[in-house]
Amino acid sequence: MATITLDTVRKVYAGGVEAVKGVSIDIADGEFIVLVGPSGCGKSTLLRMIAGLEEISTGEIRIGEKVVNKVDPADRDIAMVFQNYALYPHMTVYNNLAYGLKNRGMAKDEIDRRVKEAARILEIGDYLDRKPRALSGGQRQRVAMGRAIVREPAAFLFDEPLSNLDAKLRVQMRVEIKRLQKSLKTTSVYVTHDQLEAMTLADRLVVLSGGNIEQIGAPIDVYDKPASTFVASFIGSPAMNLLKVRKGAAGLELETGSGLTAANPYGRDRYTLGVRPEHLSLVEAGVPAGALTLKATVNVLEPVGAESYLYASCGGTGQEIVIRVESHARFEPGQEITLTAQAKDVHFFDADTGRRVES
Amino acid sequence: MYKSKLSDHLILILGSVLMIGPVLIVFLTSTHDAVEVHRFGLMASWGDHFTETYNKVLFKEGGFTGQVTGVRMLINSLILGIGFGIGKIVLSMLAAYAIVYFRFRMGTFFFWVIFTTLLLPLEVRIMPSYEVVQQLGMLNSYSGMIVPLLASATGTFYFRQFFKSVPDELLEAARIDGAGPFKFFIDILVPTSKTMIAAIFIIMFVYGWNQYLWPMMMTNDEAHFTLVRGIKQILLVWVGSQIPEYNEAFALAVLAMLPPVLVVLIFQSWFIKGLTESDK
Ligand SMILES: Nc1ncnc2c1ncn2[C@@H]1O[C@H](COP(=O)(O)OP(=O)(O)OP(=O)(O)O)[C@@H](O)[C@H]1O
Ligand SMILES: [Mg+2]
């Protein structure tokens, strides 16, 4: 068990691609950190630098107190779970788990004890004699997890471990990983591009974009106070509605037309204004008008079961917004609606930089 | 699923007859005595000299110096075949391992250099090769017959392609599991390549088994004769006023065929796997 510290870590690949641009994170002992971001944002690169599989161009990585920049992956006391599992195809499950321990010269009975223990925790005891090819995707995933936990390492590193599983299994394994991590209390760094996975697993989220950290924080804080329009549109599903607004005669108005009324709490000329679909309610349904009101025209209603998403356009030129409504609500295309949101649910971002504007 | 039809079977039966027929005739002819063969040509019936001929071929000491028996030649051929098979696999696997997994200067360049040696088969470079072996004092030795031909562009190429298709994560997982370059090669790469190894072993074994020109140049004492040379020798030695021992030549040919057939039969399921399936 250990802390992991990244200090302005950069990675420039041989071709000149700067995949990670000076990232600093302090990971506490036992913490579950999720690196999340769109494809190509450098999250795998960052993880692989922690693992020692990629060289660090500049900066420093410490595991515990030890600077590991030049330390071999095997000597970093970490274990990694890969997206394609990377099980040794010719070894039985038992030997897959035992291989790393054997290489470290561990006594046979201690290896046996650890493998059996991991097999019990992960419920793979019945397959110990099988080869990976004779296992289902979910079972292989467990074996890959098993290979990590038998090592009892200082940290687990996961690179999109669930993305090869079907939706149902993914949810199940997600819960299991979380439970496992909480009971083992091993520091973990988990890479995913799935924001739901990120939200549910993380103690703290690290949102990356283009090799930079956009925001670090507890999932709920990131959700409540996204630091930029990028984070706002990446975390939460459906994504936050973002509207270009400017200073008008009274408060703020849409840049593209009429229909919006809102206060201008920071006195600036222009903003990108954000409201989540779940924070917009219908004035017609008897909700009192809040800090923001918006007139819109219904386009489509999309029921997903427990709730429905209403797509509507506003501001004349037809900017589309999404509103979460209850599952049995009925709307006609072309219907005029008035939406409202509370002051605490309205986010302001700088119109040019996209950074959050706060008092 | 495809349902096989009568015509499919007919084609296969025809193919089998075409392939097996001549072998069968050679075998049947070898059971007759030389005079009969000389008078009537190829035989399609069972003669009654089977035990006699094969006994003689296997155990009678023949040749000019009278030192070499069929068994000796069989052993020599086996040494050549197995030596080629194992030697070429070891060498080309190591070469491919270096090319694929180690970033050394001009690795790709060296690979293509090795690859272009395919354009220079043994026959083209036989004189210089002979010269080198002779100066190293390796004439009339098994190592002289085997070692100079061990470098294999084909083998290196196949193993390179195979190693390239092994997912990088396997190497990375092994590195995290504390396996160095040597351990990774022995513990992971060799076992995952075993179907490939089997396939290449068959090809190289047969290649070594059928070597004619090179062993002939390398050796002049009869103790190093291989079966393939022995067949030729029978027809040469007794040529003259005597009738050549056709039956013995045929018997030797049958014997020369058996080991490669056995190797193929034993390894065939692996062979097919190695060429078609990727088990990674
Ligand atoms: N070996 C490499 N050589 C050169 N550039 C690379 C290499 N590996 C990755 N990159 C580049 O670095 C950037 C970050 O890649 P990385 O694999 O870290 O992305 P990622 O966030 O994990 O994306 P994904 O979600 O698709 O896995 C990408 O632009 C990629 O093209
Ligand atoms: Mg990745």
Side-chain angles (χ1 to χ4, degrees), chain B residues 84-280:
Chain B
F84 265 73
I86 294 177
K88 277 177 177 266
I89 284 168
V90 169
L91 211 62
S92 52
M93 266 188 106
L94 288 172
Y97 185 48
I99 288 169
V100 175
Y101 286 96
F102 294 84
R103 248 167 271 134
F104 57 93
R105 283 169 66 93
M106 306 204 293
T108 324
F109 172 75
F110 282 118
F111 169 72
W112 287 109
V113 168
I114 293 174
F115 199 67
T116 44
T117 61
L118 277 178
L119 299 174
L120 299 172
L122 176 65
E123 289 74 10
V124 179
R125 55 189 159 88
I126 201 153
M127 293 319 286
S129 299
Y130 178 83
E131 193 59 25
V132 170
V133 175
Q134 191 233 338
Q135 286 184 4
L136 288 172
M138 289 163 80
L139 290 184
N140 281 323
S141 68
Y142 291 115
S143 49
M145 285 194 280
I146 296 172
V147 174
L149 300 190
L150 281 189
S152 167
T154 327
T156 310
F157 177 71
Y158 277 124
F159 279 116
R160 171 187 182 261
Q161 296 311 97
F162 179 79
F163 291 166
K164 274 181 171 287
S165 73
V166 172
D168 290 342
E169 284 85 355
L170 216 52
L171 169 67
E172 291 168 352
R175 279 179 71 191
I176 292 174
D177 267 346
F182 186 73
K183 251 187 175 323
F184 174 69
F185 184 69
I186 297 294
D187 289 350
I188 314 284
L189 218 46
V190 172
T192 34
S193 324
K194 65 173 193 265
T195 51
M196 197 69 198
I197 291 175
I200 294 190
F201 181 80
I202 297 183
I203 297 173
M204 295 309 175
F205 176 86
V206 174
Y207 179 76
W209 184 268
N210 285 335
Q211 280 298 315
Y212 180 69
L213 183 61
W214 183 251
M216 195 163 81
M217 297 199 56
M218 278 304 102
T219 58
N220 46 32
D221 70 336
E222 292 181 339
H224 283 99
F225 267 29
T226 60
L227 273 180
V228 181
R229 278 183 79 186
I231 298 172
K232 178 86 173 118
Q233 214 62 21
I234 287 179
L235 296 177
L236 273 184
V237 168
W238 285 287
V239 132
S241 57
Q242 295 202 25
I243 296 169
E245 305 276 352
Y246 289 121
N247 56 335
E248 289 180 21
F250 280 132
L252 221 46
V254 170
L255 288 177
M257 230 174 322
L258 279 181
V261 169
L262 282 180
V263 167
V264 172
L265 282 182
I266 291 167
F267 285 97
Q268 78 165 346
S269 64
W270 281 16
F271 182 74
I272 294 166
K273 262 198 213 158
L275 293 181
T276 56
E277 175 189 287
S278 59
D279 166 32
K280 271 160 260 136

Side-chain angles (χ1 to χ4, degrees), chain A residues 64-83:
Chain A
E65 291 306 304
K66 192 168 146 203
V67 177
V68 293
N69 284 35
K70 297 281 172 218
V71 176
D72 219 49
D75 302 325
R76 293 193 181 194
D77 201 12
I78 48 100
M80 187 153 167
V81 180
F82 295 87
Q83 177 173 0

Side-chain angles (χ1 to χ4, degrees), chain A residues 40 43-45 83 159-160 191:
Chain A
K43 33 190 205 306
S44 296
T45 305
Q83 177 173 0
D159 194 351
E160 309 205 13
V191 162

